[in-house]
């Protein structure tokens, strides 16, 4: 299906409507926001049988994966709806006037809370056509925070984007939300124009390092710079200790392959580099694994980028193909196996030494977004500490080890400096929507190291603190009124007071 790019005039009108809707939504009651989020979740579930076939056709993802992803999308909307009434996310603080404040001057009456940041621009992702797209986590958290959303649809699933948007808009209208609270635009230039618009006060993005960095630079160079929450790229290294390799080489090999090839490797948390002890039977176990056959990737751009990354990795002296799926030799220039989808890239694992990796860190530690990974053999566990020091920012880092492994004492804190989520004896694919989830990390994993795009803490990206000094009770926001009409927990004169 061909979609027309949104015109400049239409983008400007959409932004104007979003600004007006944000002003109204900011004043809406918490219960009203919660009802609207639940209405969207219910509508998505009700329209699943209409949306799933469109998603299958446009993304080549399997129906079970898409149904699970849609359930996750409605789940996170409901979770935000349940969170709003308890009010902790407002971080309400009250300091009463104190003439004896021990700072040499009287303390004024000060009251502080988090408030909506304003109309928000969300760039949809391609690899999660529901959970990180139209009604995904960025949209859900921005709406929950009290902001209007302008959604830049991804060109990889335009028909699904419009179909999902129609469901969202109808659901919001049925819940009494302001007109223009959620709108979509199409086209790269439309997205850039919206990002530059003065009415947009924050933006969120999930995609490539190159694309995300270009948008981040635009957001930062505006006359009024705005927060840009970009999730860009990650290799997600996994480190296997010697004792763990001796304990369960077969299980490690099996589970690593499953994590690498799930969803054709098109997950931002896919473990792209595995460090194993030289001489370990893990390498032999991996060589004996039967990788899935070739399958179509999400779109032509992702496939092209994946083939480029494969060529770069293959081109490094000292790298060899460890195991490959049916048809993989087509990627190297030979004829494809008849059992593989014509032209589709196949899963492949490469192998090299840690010495080669050190010499070619930039190439070999770059993300291969697709069903491929690099296995690196090391001689001494202390070499892992050196590699950890050299890592760029990551979404995740994994240790497969024994609880009393001495190397973990030093490796774990080093990895926590480089990654937003550190895993122990689990694989990083699968990002649960929870209260404590952290999906972020130092650059280039993200452009905002202090934030998360998954989990309940994601709401804080689209809020900003405001303090009210000596403001009359009748004019204060409800969360800061003396009587606490919202019945929420607040910090009063330094003491956390429960309702």
């Amino acid at each position: 299906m061909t979609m027309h790019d949104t015109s400049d005039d239409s983008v400007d009108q959409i932004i104007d409507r979003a600004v007006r809707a944000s002003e109204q939504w900011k004043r809406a009651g918490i219960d009203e926001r919660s009802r609207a989020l639940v209405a969207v979740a219910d509508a998505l579930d009700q329209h699943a049988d209409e949306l799933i076939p469109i998603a299958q056709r446009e993304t080549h993802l399997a129906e079970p994966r898409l149904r699970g992803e849609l359930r996750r999308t409605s789940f996170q909307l409901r979770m935000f709806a349940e969170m709003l009434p308890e009010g902790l996310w407002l971080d309400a603080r009250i300091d009463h006037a104190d003439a004896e404040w021990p700072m040499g001057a009287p303390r004024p009456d000060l009251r502080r809370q988090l408030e909506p940041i304003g109309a928000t621009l969300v760039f949809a992702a391609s690899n999660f056509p529901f959970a990180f797209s139209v009604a995904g986590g960025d949209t859900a958290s921005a709406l929950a925070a009290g902001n209007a959303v302008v959604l830049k649809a991804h060109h990889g699933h335009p028909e699904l984007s419009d179909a999902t948007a129609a469901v969202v808009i109808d659901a919001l209208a049925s819940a009494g939300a302001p007109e223009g609270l959620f709108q979509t635009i199409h086209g790269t230039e439309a997205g850039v124009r919206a990002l530059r618009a003065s009415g947009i006060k924050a933006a969120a993005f999930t995609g490539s390092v190159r694309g995300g960095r270009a948008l981040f630079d635009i957001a930062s160079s505006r006359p009024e710079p705005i927060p840009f929450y970009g999730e860009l790229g990650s290799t997600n290294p996994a480190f296997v200790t010697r004792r763990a390799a001796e304990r369960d080489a077969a299980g490690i090999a099996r589970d690593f392959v499953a994590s690498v090839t799930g969803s054709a490797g098109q997950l931002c948390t896919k473990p792209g580099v595995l460090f194993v002890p030289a001489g370990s039977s893990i390498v032999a176990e991996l060589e004996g694994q039967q990788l899935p056959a070739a399958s179509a990737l999400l779109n032509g751009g992702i496939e092209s980028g994946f083939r480029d990354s494969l060529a770069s990795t293959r081109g490094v002296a000292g790298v060899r193909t460890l195991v490959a799926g049916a048809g993989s030799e087509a990627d190297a220039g030979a004829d494809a196996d008849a059992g593989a989808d014509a032209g589709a890239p196949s899963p492949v694992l490469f192998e090299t030494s840690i010495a080669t990796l050190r010499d070619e860190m930039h190439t070999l530690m770059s993300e291969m977004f697709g069903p491929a990974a690099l296995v690196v053999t090391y001689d001494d566990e202390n070499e892992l500490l050196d590699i950890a020091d050299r890592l760029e920012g990551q979404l995740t880092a994994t240790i497969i080890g024994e609880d009393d492994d001495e190397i973990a004492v030093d490796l774990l804190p080093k990895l926590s400096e480089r990654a937003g989520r550190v895993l122990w004896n689990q694989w990083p694919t699968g990002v649960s929507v929870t209260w404590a989830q952290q999906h972020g990390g130092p650059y280039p994993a993200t452009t905002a190291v202090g934030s998360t795009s998954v989990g309940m803490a994601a709401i804080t990206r689209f809020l900003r603190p405001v303090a009210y000094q000596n403001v009359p009770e009748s004019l204060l926001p409800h969360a800061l009124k003396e009587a606490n009409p919202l019945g929420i927990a607040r910090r009063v004169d330094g003491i956390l007071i429960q309702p």
Side-chain angles (χ1 to χ4, degrees), residues 142-220:
L143 290 174
N147 309 291
V149 170
V150 176
L151 187 285
K152 191 273 176 187
H154 197 280
H155 62 83
H157 49 267
E159 184 181 353
L160 177 66
S161 296
D162 280 356
T164 307
V167 171
V168 173
I169 291 169
D170 287 348
L172 290 173
S174 71
E179 182 183 0
L181 185 62
F182 178 84
Q183 303 167 89
T184 58
I185 59 177
H186 288 269
T188 300
E189 292 305 316
V192 170
R193 186 176 183 85
L195 183 59
R196 289 184 169 132
S198 61
I200 293 296
K201 301 302 180 184
F205 169 89
T206 300
S208 68
V209 173
R210 185 175 69 173
R213 181 56 195 254
L215 295 173
F216 171 75
D217 289 344
I218 292 171
S220 302

Side-chain angles (χ1 to χ4, degrees), residues 160-474:
L160 177 66
S161 296
D162 280 356
T164 307
V167 171
V168 173
I169 291 169
D170 287 348
L172 290 173
S174 71
E179 182 183 0
L181 185 62
F182 178 84
Q183 303 167 89
T184 58
I185 59 177
H186 288 269
T188 300
E189 292 305 316
V192 170
R193 186 176 183 85
L195 183 59
R196 289 184 169 132
S198 61
I200 293 296
K201 301 302 180 184
F205 169 89
T206 300
S208 68
V209 173
R210 185 175 69 173
R213 181 56 195 254
L215 295 173
F216 171 75
D217 289 344
I218 292 171
S220 302
S221 62
R222 292 173 21 144
E224 177 199 358
I226 60 171
F228 183 86
Y229 299 104
E231 182 211 307
L232 310 186
S234 186
T235 309
N236 307 299
F239 300 82
V240 181
T241 68
R242 190 169 296 280
R243 293 174 63 212
E246 293 170 352
R247 170 180 53 84
D248 188 19
I252 292 170
R254 178 193 64 240
D255 295 344
F256 173 66
V257 167
S259 191
V260 168
T261 60
S263 295
Q266 299 167 109
L267 302 174
C268 53
T269 54
K270 181 204 74 180
V273 179
L274 180 72
F275 293 88
V276 302
S280 163
S281 58
I282 290 177
V283 173
E285 292 287 350
L286 288 170
E287 283 185 298
Q289 292 286 312
Q290 183 174 353
L291 302 187
S295 61
L297 300 188
L298 288 161
N299 55 63
I302 285 177
E303 181 173 322
S304 176
F306 179 59
R307 290 185 187 279
D308 288 345
S309 66
L310 291 181
S312 295
T313 301
R314 280 196 179 96
V316 174
V319 172
R320 74 178 182 100
T321 298
L322 181 63
V323 60
S328 63
E329 291 306 312
D331 298 330
D335 291 335
D337 188 293
D341 289 348
S346 299
V348 58
L349 299 182
F350 300 105
E351 182 195 10
T352 194
S353 67
I354 201 165
T356 299
L357 180 77
R358 284 197 198 97
D359 292 340
E360 299 285 350
M361 282 284 288
H362 177 72
T363 298
L364 296 182
M365 288 300 295
S366 294
E367 183 179 26
M368 292 186 285
F369 194 75
L374 176 67
V375 179
V376 179
T377 57
Y378 66 86
D379 295 310
D380 187 328
E381 284 184 338
N382 288 317
E383 292 177 294
L384 302 181
L385 303 179
D386 174 62
I387 293 298
D389 285 334
R390 296 170 179 237
L391 288 176
E392 291 185 320
Q394 305 289 331
L395 291 172
T396 75
T398 298
I399 300 176
I400 305 297
E402 300 293 297
D403 289 358
D404 56 352
D405 273 328
E406 292 184 6
I407 191 65
V409 174
D410 294 320
L411 184 58
L412 186 66
K414 285 182 178 292
L415 295 179
S416 71
E417 294 175 358
R418 298 292 189 271
R421 179 163 57 105
V422 183
L423 298 93
W424 181 265
N425 285 338
Q426 290 185 339
W427 299 96
T429 41
V431 186
S432 182
V433 179
T434 70
W435 291 92
Q437 185 59 269
Q438 175 59 32
H439 191 60
Y443 186 84
T446 71
T447 59
V449 67
S451 68
T452 178
S453 61
V454 178
M456 297 302 97
I459 195 173
T460 61
R461 297 173 298 165
F462 307 117
L463 298 165
R464 67 180 186 90
V466 178
Y468 296 85
Q469 183 168 329
N470 201 37
V471 173
E473 173 80 7
S474 61

